[in-house]
Amino acid sequence: MNDGDFLLSIIKKLDVEEGDWEKLYSNLEDNSILYKYTPSDSKKGYLFYWSNQEPMSQIEEVDNLVDNEIELSIVPQDTYLILFTRIEALKEKQYKKIIEVEENEFRYKKYVCYYTEEELIEMKNKIEEGFVIDKDFLRDNSHFIDEKLFAFIYRMIIKVPIIKMNFEQKELEEFQSLYEIEKESEKKYQPDELNEMEQKVFSVIPDKLNSDLVATDIVDNLISDIYGDDLNEYLS
């Protein structure tokens, strides 16, 4: 199993919208895979791509596959492209590249789920040791703070639209700790956008006791203000 298939296996264990997976392309020589996910009750389509390239190069690779290798109809407003990108660390140069890709909605709406080699190794080691990742991960592990594993999975939840965002109050109480973990791992560079995202989350937690309302506000703020999408459109 290559790293791309491994990452997708983690997503499939989480609580995702009902739908069907289809492998569109896989090449072990150039280390790349492309999957499509079709929700059961939505016209939207989600493409998941992994390769050992930077985000802009990954988009070119996907475009080439769609144009020349596979039969796939692209409806720009209904097609999402999730890129799995390995980075050494989230520094200014890499972060600007990620933002540039995500803000460009030509042909697909794009999300870059970045990770480090250290995070990936830690994830694999934990699973080999018997650590369980399933659809109740957040509910069952809200007390679990591991600098690599928890932050990585939380990043997946934010970056992958098909993962359901069903929060309990105790999970919301852990958000600040999760962001502190992210800040610690990225302390050499703090982009303004990360701080803005952080404040959008923190600002809604102390003022509301209803966890459903808090969760709605968090997701709405993250999507509408950072990704530019409507909440209902994002989750549909």
Side-chain angles (χ1 to χ4, degrees), residues 82-228:
I82 296 90
L83 303 172
F84 293 103
T85 303
R86 186 173 65 190
I87 61 175
E88 291 184 8
L90 185 61
K91 298 182 180 180
E92 182 173 3
K93 184 177 180 180
Q94 287 92 344
Y95 191 74
K96 285 183 176 179
K97 290 180 180 179
I98 290 172
I99 292 298
E100 181 181 358
V101 167
E102 292 189 335
E103 288 182 345
N104 180 4
E105 295 189 356
F106 175 73
R107 202 171 196 182
Y108 329 90
K109 296 182 179 181
K110 306 174 187 71
Y111 300 89
V112 180
C113 187
Y114 61 88
Y115 63 94
T116 66
E117 181 69 16
E118 187 180 14
E119 288 175 328
L120 191 65
I121 292 173
E122 181 70 11
M123 176 90 77
K124 290 180 177 180
N125 289 340
K126 286 290 185 182
I127 291 176
E128 287 179 1
E129 293 170 2
F131 189 83
V132 176
I133 297 175
D134 58 20
K135 64 183 182 65
D136 296 320
F137 176 83
L138 280 178
R139 187 195 69 187
D140 295 340
N141 297 282
S142 61
H143 64 286
F144 180 77
I145 299 298
D146 182 279
E147 292 194 5
K148 302 176 186 66
L149 180 63
F150 206 114
F152 183 26
I153 295 180
Y154 182 67
R155 191 182 307 132
M156 277 188 172
I157 292 171
I158 293 296
K159 292 286 189 175
V160 179
I162 65 172
I163 298 176
K164 295 180 181 178
M165 295 186 179
N166 297 325
F167 299 107
E168 299 289 341
Q169 183 66 36
K170 61 181 181 179
E171 291 143 15
L172 294 170
E173 292 169 354
E174 295 296 329
F175 279 5
Q176 183 162 355
S177 296
L178 291 171
Y179 273 95
E180 291 302 320
I181 290 171
E182 287 293 286
K183 287 177 66 176
E184 179 65 22
S185 66
E186 298 155 8
K187 60 186 177 182
K188 292 184 179 180
Y189 175 71
Q190 288 297 311
D192 292 341
E193 290 86 350
L194 288 180
N195 291 329
E196 290 175 10
M197 181 187 291
E198 180 179 274
Q199 292 307 314
K200 292 179 188 303
V201 174
F202 295 163
S203 64
V204 299
I205 292 178
D207 299 326
K208 295 190 176 93
L209 296 178
N210 186 309
S211 61
D212 291 335
L213 291 178
V214 176
T216 299
D217 280 351
I218 288 175
V219 177
D220 200 13
N221 280 336
L222 288 175
I223 296 169
S224 298
D225 295 336
I226 296 175
Y227 295 123

Side-chain angles (χ1 to χ4, degrees), residues 28-53:
L28 297 180
E29 292 184 1
D30 61 12
N31 284 320
S32 62
I33 61 169
L34 177 65
Y35 275 80
K36 180 182 179 181
Y37 183 81
T38 305
S40 300
D41 57 355
S42 173
K43 62 181 180 180
K44 299 185 183 303
Y46 299 87
L47 301 176
F48 292 81
Y49 186 71
W50 169 84
S51 71
N52 290 323
Q53 303 294 329

Side-chain angles (χ1 to χ4, degrees), residues 45 73-80 105-109 233:
S73 176
I74 300 295
V75 182
Q77 67 269 26
D78 292 329
T79 305
Y80 294 74
E105 295 189 356
F106 175 73
R107 202 171 196 182
Y108 329 90
K109 296 182 179 181
E233 180 183 353

